[in-house]
Amino acid sequence: MDRGKIAELYRTWGPAIYRRCLRLLRDTEAARDATQEVFRKALSSPEKLVSADTALPFIYRVATNHCLNERRNAGRRGETELMDLDVASEHPDFPQRRLVQRVLARFDARTQSIAVGVLVDGMEHEEVADALGISRKTVSRKLARFLENARKYLERSAA
Amino acid sequence: MSHPSDLKLERHLLDPGQSQIGDHVSGCELCQGRLLAMRQQGEDFRRFVYPATLDEVSRPRWRPRQALWLLAPAAGLATVLLVTRPGPPADYVGTKGQPLELTVYVARDSSAHALADGESVPASASLRMRVHAASPCKLAVFSLDGNGESSNLYASPDRVSGAFELPGTVRLDGKVGPERIFAVCEAPKGPLEEAIRRVAGDREEGVRHNATLSDVEFRQTSVLIEKTP
């Protein structure tokens, strides 16, 4: 792909990638670096960047996976500042206002993506399923397991 | 009151005329504030991030200039790759997971092509792998396929560090579907097997979506490949 085409795609989809990375990493420098990485990954499937219908869910998925991975790596390095995420809407089984990294880190990558999608991004189960390319049933099952185990963990931590 | 997700707001920003949440947004101060913040972040991208990073994202992907695939004479079973140039630069998109990096190569058009995460390869392709460990590492490399079956590909007898090419080639099994190749450092057997079982239990979805093994402390990285007919 020539530089002009890449520049055009970057101008079009870069803002959405940057916003997503900023949302999850909460740091402009980290978001800038992540935006480059995510866009380069996205370029490996240029056919998905042709229309908004395919590009936005694809970007959401690639950026979410990348940034949650960055967060895990930062956690392992002990870089825990700004790691907690604001919960978008109240959930009866998750009364906390923030989704703290130490809770998130207890779950596998896909469960983390689902929990962030529903609790932080405020997405419906079906929207999460479409964006992550998985079934709605999987979203419900994984989220239920996350909520149950997160609640128990938080109760244990408070005791 | 339920508000639209960020993803719906992104669609709205791209094309307000076709937006399905236009009515909600026009009457919701909270969402108008969110859109304002998103526009500002988009402007920050255009003013600061885009000009500073365009060169980097536009740089051609690295490909070895001199690579040669030879058919191994022994029984005609294996394909052998001779890479005569050292590995890709650190910013190559197929390499990930500092401080442990794994790059997977496949033969393509008489050269070695480093695979991006999730890239498709023929189901019977032969692969070579390169690992870079920032510090000494008792290395193990294994793969997990969509049927939940794992295959041990390599275990270093001693600690290795720096760039390290795995000996020989790995011939894929010819079955269509996802396969994830993991490299791990200093992984205790019990926790490793338990972590693999958790991913394997979810079959194809587990392989596709678990870039890392959860609830383990050791260094790890992985590359997903999609085996196609």
Side-chain angles (χ1 to χ4, degrees), chain B residues 54-78:
Chain B
L54 178 60
D55 283 346
E56 186 64 27
V57 301
S58 304
R59 259 197 340 195
R61 288 183 179 188
W62 176 89
R63 284 171 190 262
R65 286 179 188 162
Q66 299 174 355
L68 180 65
W69 290 82
L70 300 171
L71 288 177
L77 292 177

Side-chain angles (χ1 to χ4, degrees), chain A residues 3 10 19 23 110 127, chain B residues 5-6 10 38 53 205:
Chain A
R3 181 184 164 92
Y10 198 34
R19 283 190 284 264
R23 177 96 156 124
R110 183 163 38 142
E127 196 179 4
Chain B
S5 65
D6 285 357
E10 287 287 355
M38 290 170 77
T53 57
E205 286 191 355

Side-chain angles (χ1 to χ4, degrees), chain B residues 116-119 178-181 207-209 222-226:
Chain B
D117 195 53
E119 195 165 347
E179 184 147 1
R180 187 174 285 281
I181 299 168
V207 169
R208 285 200 174 97
H209 297 287
S222 75
V223 173
L224 173 69
I225 57 175
E226 291 283 353

Side-chain angles (χ1 to χ4, degrees), chain A:
Chain A
M1 191 182 299
D2 64 50
R3 181 184 164 92
K5 181 65 179 170
I6 291 173
E8 181 190 336
L9 289 172
Y10 198 34
R11 269 196 308 273
T12 304
W13 303 117
I17 296 172
Y18 180 64
R19 283 190 284 264
R20 183 69 190 143
C21 294
L22 203 53
R23 177 96 156 124
L24 293 180
L25 298 175
R26 302 166 62 95
D27 178 87
T28 53
E29 286 300 310
R32 190 184 84 157
D33 292 344
T35 298
Q36 295 178 61
E37 294 295 320
V38 170
F39 180 71
R40 291 193 68 154
K41 286 179 180 177
L43 275 182
S44 66
S45 300
E47 74 281 359
K48 291 180 179 167
L49 299 178
V50 172
S51 75
D53 284 343
T54 54
L56 284 176
F58 176 58
I59 284 169
Y60 176 91
R61 182 165 64 246
V62 176
T64 300
N65 288 340
H66 180 88
C67 294
L68 289 179
N69 195 40
E70 286 295 300
R71 290 170 58 87
R72 282 191 290 274
N73 290 338
R76 288 195 193 101
R77 294 191 298 266
E79 300 166 6
T80 54
E81 289 180 21
L82 301 175
M83 291 284 280
D84 302 342
L85 297 167
D86 293 326
V87 170
S89 55
E90 288 184 11
H91 194 288
D93 292 321
F94 195 81
Q96 306 279 322
R97 298 288 300 274
R98 310 200 86 188
L99 179 54
V100 293
Q101 179 64 18
R102 66 188 161 85
V103 172
L104 206 54
R106 300 181 65 79
F107 297 88
D108 61 83
R110 183 163 38 142
T111 301
Q112 289 188 27
S113 297
I114 291 168
V116 166
V118 173
L119 298 175
V120 176
D121 300 329
M123 296 164 80
E124 302 289 343
H125 290 199
E126 192 163 352
E127 196 179 4
V128 173
D130 287 346
L132 297 180
I134 56 179
S135 69
R136 185 175 174 173
K137 188 177 170 185
T138 299
V139 172
S140 300
R141 181 168 53 86
K142 290 276 184 184
L143 182 68
R145 195 182 302 169
F146 172 85
L147 291 169
E148 182 185 351
N149 290 335
R151 193 179 63 243
K152 285 178 184 172
Y153 174 75
L154 290 168
E155 285 170 358
R156 278 201 308 271
S157 301

Side-chain angles (χ1 to χ4, degrees), chain B residues 143-151 173-180 196-197 199-208 227:
Chain B
S143 69
L144 190 58
D145 71 13
N147 292 320
E149 292 176 359
S150 65
S151 304
D173 59 7
K175 296 176 186 170
V176 172
E179 184 147 1
R180 187 174 285 281
I196 293 172
R197 270 197 294 274
V199 177
D202 284 330
R203 302 298 177 101
E204 290 195 358
E205 286 191 355
V207 169
R208 285 200 174 97
K227 297 178 291 182

